[in-house]
DNA sequence: CGATTTTGACCAGCGC
DNA sequence: GCGCTGGTCAAAATCG
């Protein structure tokens, strides 16, 4: 499973109706952070893992790059980035992860490792959206934001994932494939 | 020994 | 009101 730069603690697992695979529930280990995520395996294609994020991280991602010579040196000391926009602090985005069959492994986290210096999850995801890789698509979902905010609106079209149809039931999805992250 | 995972129980929302 | 389903809690087990 993908490491997105944050530490998660599993707090539950439930078998879901119409799905042969259980859904796992994770909370961010940071006590001041209410971010959650749900991880389930796609019913149609077991290679696809559906990760649903809920809430926003109130802290930076865990530093995969301990020392980033950005010159400014402004990364660690600023604990929280002021969120001037996005009135809904509660948002969720949904993305599907397609582990490379037979490979998976180490490269899963590389993408988020690279994005980790950006810190907050809401900063991280738009980064993905603004730089859509061919097999990359994403969108926000959830209660906090309007459905029209779906960055991957019409998963049938803009979502280039070849399995996009499998999750069209959800108005939003955020899928990425480690293969598409080969630019790292 | 602390952190994390596992797992059954509990609770709330929803449809009938 | 009842049952089903999904989400969360919390104690026990496991791991490093």
């Amino acid at each position: 499973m993908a490491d997105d730069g944050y530490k998660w603690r599993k707090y539950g697992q439930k078998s879901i109706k119409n799905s042969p695979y259980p859904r796992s529930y994770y909370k961010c280990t940071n006590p001041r952070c209410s971010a959650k995520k749900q991880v389930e395996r796609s019913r149609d294609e077991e290679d696809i893992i559906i990760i649903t994020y809920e809430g926003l991280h109130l802290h930076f991602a865990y530093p995969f790059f301990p020392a980033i010579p950005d010159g400014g040196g402004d990364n660690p000391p600023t604990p929280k980035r002021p969120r001037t926009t996005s009135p809904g602090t509660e948002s969720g985005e949904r993305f599907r992860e397609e582990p490379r069959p037979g490979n998976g492994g180490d490269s899963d986290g590389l993408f988020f490792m690279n994005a980790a210096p950006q810190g907050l999850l809401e900063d991280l995801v738009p980064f993905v959206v603004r730089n859509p890789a061919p097999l990359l698509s994403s969108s926000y979902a959830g209660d906090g934001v309007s459905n029209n905010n779906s960055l991957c609106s019409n998963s049938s079209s803009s979502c280039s994932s070849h399995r996009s149809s499998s999750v069209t039931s959800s108005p939003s999805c955020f899928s990425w494939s480690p293969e598409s992250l080969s630019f790292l």
Side-chain angles (χ1 to χ4, degrees):
Chain A
M1 94 169 261
D3 186 354
D4 50 10
Y6 297 93
K7 284 191 70 175
W8 299 94
R9 183 177 54 203
K10 188 175 184 177
Y11 67 91
Q13 177 172 314
K14 287 283 289 190
S15 57
I16 302 301
K17 187 184 179 183
N18 295 329
S19 176
Y21 306 104
R23 175 184 295 170
S24 299
Y25 301 90
Y26 295 86
K27 281 181 181 177
C28 184
T29 55
N30 191 319
R32 301 181 62 180
C33 179
S34 61
K36 302 175 191 175
K37 75 173 179 180
Q38 302 172 1
V39 179
E40 63 180 305
R41 195 171 284 271
S42 173
R43 176 170 57 97
D44 296 328
E45 187 167 344
E46 61 183 16
D47 288 340
I48 296 176
I49 297 173
I50 300 172
I51 302 176
T52 303
Y53 282 93
E54 183 175 347
L56 298 174
H57 290 280
L58 302 177
H59 56 94
F60 283 97
Y62 288 83
F64 286 95
F65 302 105
I68 299 173
D70 56 353
D74 56 348
N75 35 346
T78 56
K80 295 178 184 178
R81 200 112 53 106
R83 296 292 304 169
T84 56
T85 58
S86 71
T89 58
E90 196 71 17
S91 68
E93 82 270 15
R94 181 166 226 214
F95 69 86
R96 301 185 309 138
E97 169 192 19
E98 295 180 355
R100 185 182 306 182
N103 184 2
D106 300 335
S107 63
D108 282 0
L110 288 180
F111 166 74
F112 290 105
M113 288 171 65
N114 192 35
Q118 299 196 14
L120 298 175
L121 183 62
E122 66 271 27
D123 295 330
L124 181 148
V125 174
F127 169 77
V128 177
V129 175
R130 295 189 204 106
N131 300 276
L135 289 176
L136 199 67
S137 61
S138 66
S139 74
Y140 282 94
D143 37 355
V145 295
S146 65
N147 291 334
N148 293 334
N149 193 20
S150 72
L151 303 170
C152 140
S153 63
N154 303 331
S155 58
S156 59
S157 60
S158 61
C159 279
S160 58
S161 172
H162 58 285
R163 296 291 301 177
S164 60
S165 60
S166 62
V167 289
T168 49
S169 59
S170 173
S172 57
C173 65
F174 170 45
S175 63
W176 62 279
S177 169
E179 297 179 12
S180 64
L181 305 177
S182 58
F183 64 92
L184 296 172

